[in-house]
Amino acid sequence: MNYTLHQLKIFLKISETQSITKASEELHLTQPAVSIQLKNFQDQFSIPLTEVVGRKLFITDFGKEIAEAAEKILNEVYAINYKTLFHEGQLAGRMKISVVSTGKYVIPYFLSEFMKEHPGIDLIMDVTNKTKVVESLAQNEVDFALVSVLPKKMKINRVELMENKLFFVGPSAMSLKNINDGKKLFEELPLIFREQGSATRGAMENFITRNRFSIRKKMELTSNEAVKQAVLAGLGSSIMPLIGIKNELNNGDLQIIPVKGLPIITTWNLVWLSSKNLSPAAKAFLEHIEKAKTKIIDEKFNWFGDY
């Protein structure tokens, strides 16, 4: 057999995503390139690694075994690389962070300088909703999680990063004539929600329940970007995190609609299990955060104070 580490990496990613399209996106390769490597890898086995049912890709039982073996092989390769870098005097290793979807507008700024200073560290960052982030933390699958709502019934340590503000937002072209209070806003304007399990969805529902608003109509979308595009298109309004709409506010495409009780203010927290045995890379990142977070907030998020 003449399979390569590159093929092992591609097949492992395909097995994780169960999609050639998603694997190509995460690996920053074209779909044809991934498909060719999968075919070349499959040609070395007499037993199918994948099967397609109803246009959906599935990994066979044999393929799952090969994927497990591939992961072990790649982990050993990473370990060799990290040991080499360590002996050369560089900090090295892998660091995994699970981030709630709106956190993708926050965490890169806290990582940027750190990653430049330590090129031997490989970063794996999963961006998903709050429920899945908490699950990955509870199962010890990640070093850190970035959340705006602290997980309950879990012993964690945390570092506060910055405020998270949520406002009621609509398209700038929307007229608010004859709608002069929050109750009418929520009863007469179509509302757009995030999916169940989202912290933004939870904050929005709590606000509506607390104020006993009746809602006229709702649409449910699975990402803040999707919600933003729907609001921009005039499909409705929503309670949205300020962090993700800076450009649209500056361009005049969106407007913040004043509502009593808003904004909802929470805090972005970097959290980890209290029992977690942090790697040298993870410990170094915490040290970087403690030293640099004030400067990062002042330089990158000083516009927050304008709202």
Side-chain angles (χ1 to χ4, degrees):
M1 291 190 177
N2 297 309
Y3 50 77
T4 65
L5 292 174
H6 185 56
Q7 289 172 343
L8 290 176
K9 185 176 181 180
I10 288 175
F11 181 67
L12 179 58
K13 183 59 66 175
I14 291 172
S15 70
E16 290 172 350
T17 61
Q18 294 199 36
S19 166
I20 290 176
T21 300
K22 290 180 180 177
S24 64
E25 290 173 353
E26 294 189 20
L27 293 170
H28 305 290
L29 298 170
T30 64
Q31 289 186 43
V34 170
S35 297
I36 290 169
Q37 290 301 322
L38 175 60
K39 181 182 182 303
N40 292 341
F41 189 57
Q42 174 64 78
D43 288 345
Q44 299 179 69
F45 302 94
S46 59
I47 304 172
L49 299 168
T50 63
E51 57 185 353
V52 178
V53 179
R55 299 183 67 180
K56 182 173 176 58
L57 181 74
F58 293 90
I59 309 301
T60 64
D61 289 341
F62 176 68
K64 291 175 182 176
E65 292 181 13
I66 297 301
E68 289 178 8
E71 184 174 20
K72 291 177 182 177
I73 292 169
L74 290 169
N75 283 338
E76 289 299 320
V77 172
Y78 294 141
I80 291 171
N81 293 339
Y82 299 146
K83 287 176 182 178
T84 301
L85 290 169
F86 180 78
H87 282 285
E88 292 175 350
Q90 295 186 44
L91 185 63
R94 278 195 290 180
M95 189 169 67
K96 297 181 180 180
I97 303 178
S98 188
V99 180
V100 294
S101 57
T102 49
K104 67 177 176 285
Y105 302 109
V106 176
I107 196 64
Y109 294 99
F110 291 89
L111 284 162
S112 179
E113 286 302 316
F114 177 75
M115 296 302 295
K116 290 177 183 176
E117 291 173 6
H118 303 289
I121 293 177
D122 291 333
L123 175 66
I124 301 171
M125 187 165 68
D126 179 38
V127 180
T128 183
N129 67 30
K130 185 198 73 174
T131 298
K132 293 180 180 178
V133 168
V134 172
E135 285 177 0
S136 65
L137 184 67
Q139 294 171 12
N140 197 31
E141 295 174 349
V142 296
D143 296 297
F144 300 108
L146 183 70
V147 294
S148 59
V149 178
L150 294 174
K152 298 178 180 178
K153 299 180 181 179
M154 195 182 300
K155 293 182 179 179
I156 59 170
N157 295 327
R158 64 177 175 133
V159 174
E160 291 186 0
L161 296 186
M162 57 179 285
E163 281 188 342
N164 179 39
K165 298 180 182 180
L166 294 94
F167 289 88
F168 191 61
V169 178
S172 293
M174 183 178 67
S175 174
L176 298 175
K177 289 181 180 179
N178 302 320
I179 305 179
N180 51 20
D181 62 49
K183 189 172 186 295
K184 279 191 173 183
L185 282 171
F186 281 83
E187 288 180 350
E188 298 185 20
L189 298 179
L191 292 183
I192 303 172
F193 284 72
R194 281 287 308 277
E195 80 284 6
Q196 289 287 351
S198 158
T200 301
R201 166 73 171 257
M204 186 169 176
E205 288 183 332
N206 288 340
F207 180 77
I208 291 170
T209 301
R210 190 166 60 249
N211 288 277
R212 298 180 180 178
F213 291 152
S214 297
I215 59 173
R216 169 189 159 192
K217 180 182 178 182
K218 69 178 181 181
M219 179 187 303
E220 184 174 302
L221 299 173
T222 57
S223 74
N224 279 287
E225 280 298 313
V227 171
K228 181 167 68 177
Q229 293 304 319
V231 174
L232 286 168
L235 291 174
S237 300
S238 187
I239 290 180
M240 298 186 66
L242 176 64
I243 193 71
I245 57 174
K246 175 186 176 183
N247 291 336
E248 288 74 19
L249 290 173
N250 287 342
N251 295 338
D253 297 322
L254 292 179
Q255 62 173 316
I256 290 176
I257 304 168
V259 176
K260 185 179 179 181
L262 294 179
I264 299 167
I265 299 178
T266 59
T267 303
W268 289 110
N269 291 277
L270 188 72
V271 303
W272 65 99
L273 293 176
S274 299
S275 57
K276 181 73 175 178
N277 184 18
L278 293 175
S279 67
K283 289 179 180 177
F285 181 55
L286 283 180
E287 292 175 3
H288 170 77
I289 289 292
E290 291 289 3
K291 291 178 182 177
K293 72 173 183 177
T294 300
K295 180 183 177 184
I296 293 168
I297 293 169
D298 289 344
E299 290 182 354
K300 304 299 182 182
F301 302 101
N302 56 344
W303 59 274
F304 240 55
D306 296 335
Y307 297 91

